[in-house]
Amino acid sequence: MSNQKMTPALTHDQKLDLYYFMQLNRQLEDRLVRLFRQNKIVGGVYSSLGQEAVSVGTSYALEPRDWLAPMIRNIGALLVKGFKPRDIFTQHMAKFTSPTHGKDGTSHFGDLKVRHVVSPISMLGDLIPVMTGVAMAGRYLGQNIVAMTWIGDGGTSTGAFHEGLNLAAQQRAPFVLIVENNQWAYSTPVARQVPIKNLADRAAAYGIASKIVDGNNVVAVYETTKTAVDECRAGRGPILIEVKTMRMKGHAQHDPAEYVPKAMFDYWKAQDPIARYESYLTEHNLWDPKKKSEIDARIEHELDADQKFAEESPLPPAETAEQGVYCEGCHTIEAEWRRPKQDVMPPASSEVAVWKVADFGAFVKTQAVATQHGNRPGHAPRHEPVLSAEKKESISGDEVAGPTGKNQPATGDVAAQVPLRVPFGRGPKDRSVELERRDKVAERPPRHNKPPHKRRRR
Amino acid sequence: MPEITMLEAIRQALFEEMDRDPAVVAIGEDIGVYGGAFKATEGLLARFGHERVIDTPISETAIVGAACGMSYLGLRPVAEMQFIDFIACCFNQVTNFVAKSHYRCGAPVPMVLRGPSGGGVHGGPFHSANPEMYFVHTPGLKVVYPSTAYDAKGLLKSAIRDNNPVLFFEHKFLYRRIKEEVPAGDYTVPIGKAVVRRQGSDLTIVSYAAMAHVALEAAATLAKDGIEADVIDLRTLLPLDSETILASVKNTNRLLIVHEDTRTGGIAGEIAAIVCESAFEHLDAPIARVTALDTPVPYSPPLEERFLPNAEKVVAAARELAKY
């Protein structure tokens, strides 16, 4: 991490909090599995066993004003955001007392007003443009928020992933995307989905920063995310974080995951995020067995009460199926302005409607290899661009300076959008370029006014 | 009152709503500096700036997704499809994310998705479509398709102020071809209300958008033969104003439905079902319909003419219906 210094250390209580949420996440899902076997769950149970550090560590880095949208395996993030186990129980059991009153299940619920949680849909990737919009709106309203969502390794192959991330990058949206690489898209391993080792490599193509972190180390996940959140809040987003972890169960309860090599399970079982964190807490004298059993007992107590509540809750009355398709005055829609409205009204908002194009898009010989990456955090060294002194001079002038204002949208000024890195471009020194040129010369018919042996060869 | 085109009416609605409410923002491809492919957003950027008039990459899914996300924070985004045909690119975002949001998790999406639709301009298979029925079949959306400048302005304002996602179809054939006087002040036209454009007692012609004009043209011809048609302009397809349709059919006892959408699965089928359910005993003749062919929209003028309904086809069908 490049900005480790900036990350405020977790307090003792916060460290115990992380354990609490991870263990709550695990024990809650453990109970869901049992309820599933008792036929008390209406739909599926999508286990996040082994991925608790991702949900908890990332969402713990957000502030209450920030927004998130969970995926199916991010129940831990919902708990961190303040939802109760009863919400998860009732959702899975399709009860009338659930946040969606039985209209949707699993982690498909949210709360726009208080907890700032957007409800996900099953189609992967769609949350990325939506959360980009959340980030853009938050900036527009002056709220200084950060928006975050997750995408699995499988979801990175969708069109919505590309469209959303590109818009976020173009807009410099305060948006953190967690790529939760749990090695499996249903039954298909990562290597069968994408030809690259690290999904974080995708970030380079969008001109945004990326980080890779051990997803089974909750402190590392938290610290990396916290740095990214701070960077985004300071207007240097978006940022993509790839967390390497492992889905320790099948896609859902019906799937025994026999396609996963046993040795792979064994490897990752030894990396269990909660066991590792327990050792960490013990080694650093952050708790003792008494404290641990206190927390565990608290979790048991909460889960007992909430499970009981859910089991005793009624199913929704059938007639409610017809209700709520439209908002017919049930919601008051009002934006929360944290900046003067007149800033976005004429005359303050008025501007000259012309594009400024910095270098006319001209081909510059050094450009193909020389790139600028601006003030962007957290790049792994292999992402560092090759920047020749000559090129540096030519692009460091005022004309192509990046956006100066804090958290300003990348808008009409194309100049502000120029400094994108092209780490993998095909430069003039590339062998393929040389070979192509030779081929062309060889194909050219000899000129009639010169003898063939005088044909210019390179 | 000055006479303005439908395009100008739409532009005025956008200007006035953005002037009225800073929560209204516009987002789409080439809508800012360029002013939109049809210039519906011309001048918006100069007045409201890049923060409120957002030129995007060519990413329909991102446009609709971002607009949805913005609306979650209380903004009222107006997203543009450069041509409404391109809405197919973001079908999932519209039908699964936006449309279901309020029902399944109580999150209203006060956004408008507008764009030029319809044929008659030789746009070919990808710039002429009328995809409204995909969305009429999607609970949670509202679908508006005006035929006049007055309605376009009033309905767009209603759409922007609505708490639900509204798909606002703008027939590009009508953009510059019709002109009418539109009051200068603020007014709205309610969503979900049809209007009777011409009164008659011999048969009812139900139509909308460009075909509303075709229906009126046909009605004028029919009047010369002594056939008086009640012409209803739906204006909104979802929710459908079945009351106005039923009241008219109960009076005329004959129903002809005209739409530019293709035949199978067009709104005519739904209207026919409603009338059969609720006014069957009032019908003196089978319900008739004049629609586009069940083909993609062809490019070459004689092919497109064959594809589209016109006044002659409507007159012919109406005469058959009247003498049944």
Side-chain angles (χ1 to χ4, degrees):
Chain A
M1 255 178 328
S2 58
N3 292 301
Q4 211 153 20
K5 279 180 296 190
M6 288 170 57
T7 310
L10 286 161
T11 65
H12 181 236
D13 284 351
Q14 287 176 321
K15 285 188 170 170
L16 293 181
D17 241 13
L18 290 177
Y19 170 78
Y20 164 76
F21 282 118
M22 284 202 292
Q23 192 63 270
L24 183 64
N25 183 357
R26 178 165 294 184
Q27 297 306 324
L28 171 56
E29 289 191 17
D30 191 52
R31 286 175 184 240
L32 289 177
V33 171
R34 274 183 267 154
L35 288 166
F36 182 86
R37 289 178 183 151
Q38 293 166 26
N39 229 4
K40 288 180 179 167
I41 302 284
V42 171
V45 173
Y46 301 82
S47 169
S48 70
L49 185 69
Q51 297 174 233
E52 295 90 347
V54 180
S55 294
V56 173
T58 51
S59 55
Y60 203 79
L62 295 176
E63 293 177 16
R65 63 180 152 169
D66 295 330
W67 284 63
L68 65 75
M71 293 276 287
I72 196 81
R73 295 183 217 285
N74 297 121
I75 280 174
L78 291 170
L79 296 170
V80 171
K81 260 291 189 183
F83 282 105
K84 298 296 168 202
R86 68 174 56 191
D87 297 321
I88 318 282
F89 281 127
T90 50
Q91 277 288 114
H92 281 79
M93 296 165 89
K95 294 300 176 82
F96 193 45
T97 49
S98 78
T100 64
H101 310 296
K103 297 279 179 58
D104 205 345
T106 61
S107 65
H108 287 192
F109 63 98
D111 169 13
L112 304 185
K113 291 281 179 216
V114 179
R115 299 191 181 98
H116 303 147
V117 173
V118 171
S119 171
I121 69 171
S122 299
M123 294 73 193
L124 302 177
D126 278 351
L127 281 170
I128 298 172
V130 172
M131 295 312 282
T132 297
V134 165
M136 288 163 68
R139 176 173 60 196
Y140 176 69
L141 294 165
Q143 295 177 352
N144 203 18
I145 58 160
V146 173
M148 180 193 285
T149 190
W150 294 257
I151 187 82
D153 42 288
T156 62
S157 300
T158 61
F161 172 91
H162 169 67
E163 288 198 16
L165 198 51
N166 183 55
L167 179 66
Q170 187 277 325
Q171 282 287 322
R172 305 269 168 99
F175 170 59
V176 178
L177 179 62
I178 310 293
V179 177
E180 189 165 7
N181 181 353
N182 69 6
Q183 315 301 329
W184 297 92
Y186 208 140
S187 74
T188 308
V190 177
R192 194 61 189 250
Q193 305 167 44
V194 294
I196 52 175
K197 173 92 175 133
N198 296 313
L199 295 164
D201 289 350
R202 296 285 192 226
Y206 299 97
I208 65 171
S210 64
K211 302 166 186 225
I212 299 175
V213 65
D214 175 358
N216 288 21
N217 178 342
V218 69
V219 175
V221 171
Y222 165 79
E223 284 179 347
T224 305
T225 312
K226 178 76 174 113
T227 308
V229 167
D230 291 346
E231 290 288 340
C232 280
R233 210 184 302 283
R236 293 190 285 272
I239 296 175
L240 183 155
I241 301 172
E242 180 185 1
V243 286
K244 307 266 193 192
T245 184
M246 172 70 181
R247 196 191 73 202
M248 296 301 284
K249 291 280 182 188
H251 173 65
Q253 273 304 305
H254 65 268
D255 169 19
E258 285 157 345
Y259 44 80
V260 178
K262 191 181 169 298
M264 189 170 180
F265 274 137
D266 293 344
Y267 170 80
W268 283 98
K269 196 164 170 37
Q271 306 290 321
D272 181 76
I274 295 182
R276 278 172 70 183
Y277 193 52
E278 286 179 2
S279 310
Y280 169 90
L281 292 175
T282 306
E283 280 164 22
H284 290 77
N285 285 327
L286 293 163
W287 67 357
D288 52 32
K290 186 165 162 278
K291 186 73 197 169
K292 174 177 160 49
S293 50
E294 259 175 44
I295 298 172
D296 290 345
R298 182 182 149 205
I299 289 169
E300 281 301 300
H301 180 72
E302 283 177 13
L303 290 176
D304 280 344
D306 281 16
Q307 183 178 334
K308 185 163 180 287
F309 170 84
E311 292 198 56
E312 287 171 359
S313 286
L315 290 167
E319 65 269 21
T320 57
E322 295 177 36
Q323 297 163 6
V325 176
Y326 294 95
C327 171
E328 288 160 285
C330 48
H331 288 90
T332 312
I333 293 168
E334 206 152 341
E336 195 186 318
W337 288 86
R338 291 293 171 89
R339 71 191 279 203
K341 289 181 186 177
Q342 54 265 35
D343 282 5
V344 297
M345 295 293 270
S349 64
S350 303
E351 54 188 280
V352 181
V354 291
W355 293 123
K356 288 176 240 163
V357 182
D359 59 0
F360 308 135
F363 174 76
V364 181
K365 212 174 175 186
T366 51
Q367 196 174 37
V369 286
T371 56
Q372 178 191 351
H373 94 346
N375 184 13
R376 288 177 182 259
H379 291 288
R382 63 197 161 76
H383 286 169
E384 289 295 329
V386 184
L387 192 60
S388 77
E390 179 197 342
K391 184 60 192 167
K392 200 172 196 168
E393 203 176 76
S394 72
I395 59 173
S396 62
D398 291 337
E399 248 197 347
V400 289
T404 47
K406 179 190 173 190
N407 227 355
Q408 284 301 303
T411 54
D413 193 355
V414 170
Q417 302 162 18
V418 165
L420 300 182
R421 302 165 304 124
V422 190
F424 307 123
R426 197 182 73 153
K429 287 184 180 172
D430 192 299
R431 188 167 155 72
S432 66
V433 174
E434 177 64 21
L435 289 174
E436 218 168 79
R437 198 168 50 199
R438 277 190 199 169
D439 288 348
K440 275 192 185 149
V441 171
E443 281 166 18
R444 197 184 297 154
R447 287 189 192 165
H448 293 298
N449 59 351
K450 282 185 184 172
H453 67 271
K454 286 207 173 173
R455 236 193 308 152
R456 198 164 56 138
R457 282 189 180 276
R458 292 186 210 180
Chain B
M1 287 191 290
E3 273 201 346
I4 58 167
T5 60
M6 189 161 123
L7 189 66
E8 178 60 20
I10 289 163
R11 219 173 67 93
Q12 281 185 8
L14 291 169
F15 266 83
E16 290 174 19
E17 287 304 288
M18 290 181 74
D19 257 335
R20 186 185 60 82
D21 183 0
V24 180
V25 298
I27 181 167
E29 295 155 12
D30 305 296
I31 63 164
V33 171
Y34 187 62
F38 287 87
K39 304 291 172 194
T41 53
E42 192 166 39
L44 278 188
L45 173 62
R47 183 162 177 78
F48 299 105
H50 282 291
E51 273 196 275
R52 295 185 68 187
V53 184
I54 304 161
D55 275 307
T56 69
I58 302 175
S59 301
E60 283 78 14
T61 289
I63 291 167
V64 174
C68 176
M70 289 174 167
S71 74
Y72 281 162
L73 273 82
L75 299 187
R76 293 182 176 274
V78 182
E80 178 178 300
M81 295 283 108
Q82 199 157 74
F83 283 81
I84 206 74
D85 309 58
F86 306 158
I87 203 169
C89 303
C90 53
F91 190 78
N92 182 48
Q93 197 71 253
V94 175
T95 59
N96 276 322
F97 212 112
V98 169
K100 294 176 184 173
S101 179
H102 188 268
Y103 182 75
R104 66 182 192 88
C105 57
V109 184
M111 66 174 278
V112 177
L113 185 54
R114 48 162 291 273
S117 54
V121 296
H122 314 313
F126 307 112
H127 293 75
S128 310
N130 282 294
E132 61 267 23
M133 288 309 287
Y134 296 114
F135 305 102
V136 172
H137 196 62
T138 305
L141 302 175
K142 293 187 178 182
V143 179
V144 175
Y145 208 155
S147 72
T148 67
Y150 178 89
D151 282 354
K153 185 171 176 183
L155 279 164
L156 185 50
K157 287 186 167 216
S158 293
I160 290 169
R161 298 175 195 183
D162 202 290
N163 280 0
N164 298 284
V166 181
L167 265 57
F168 191 87
F169 288 74
E170 302 164 3
H171 203 294
K172 67 176 88 68
F173 185 85
L174 302 179
Y175 261 163
R176 295 187 176 90
R177 280 183 179 82
I178 55 165
K179 270 193 167 183
E180 69 176 322
E181 288 185 355
V182 168
D186 184 40
Y187 71 93
T188 58
V189 172
I191 292 174
K193 289 271 177 265
V195 64
V196 179
R197 294 275 180 216
R198 180 191 175 111
Q199 294 197 322
S201 55
D202 295 324
L203 79 155
T204 300
I205 305 179
V206 172
S207 191
Y208 61 96
M211 290 303 120
H213 296 275
V214 167
L216 284 170
E217 194 187 331
T221 308
L222 290 165
K224 289 176 195 157
D225 300 349
I227 302 170
E228 291 297 337
D230 225 24
V231 178
I232 295 174
D233 180 358
L234 291 173
R235 305 197 288 192
T236 301
L237 300 181
L238 184 67
L240 188 66
D241 181 1
S242 43
E243 272 176 36
T244 301
I245 299 169
L246 289 169
S248 173
V249 171
K250 283 173 183 172
N251 186 37
T252 65
N253 314 114
R254 286 175 163 80
L255 174 60
L256 171 65
I257 306 151
V258 183
H259 60 63
E260 190 189 315
D261 190 8
T262 51
R263 193 172 186 82
T264 306
I267 193 107
E270 183 60 28
I271 293 171
I274 290 170
V275 171
C276 283
E277 282 165 354
S278 306
F280 184 74
E281 66 275 23
H282 293 277
L283 287 174
D284 287 344
I287 296 165
R289 51 183 170 160
V290 175
T291 69
L293 303 179
D294 272 338
T295 67
V297 188
Y299 173 53
S300 186
L303 303 183
E304 192 178 16
E305 259 172 54
R306 178 65 172 262
F307 170 86
L308 290 172
N310 58 30
E312 275 171 39
K313 296 176 191 176
V314 175
V315 166
R319 281 192 179 128
E320 285 294 311
L321 189 62
K323 73 182 181 197
Y324 182 87

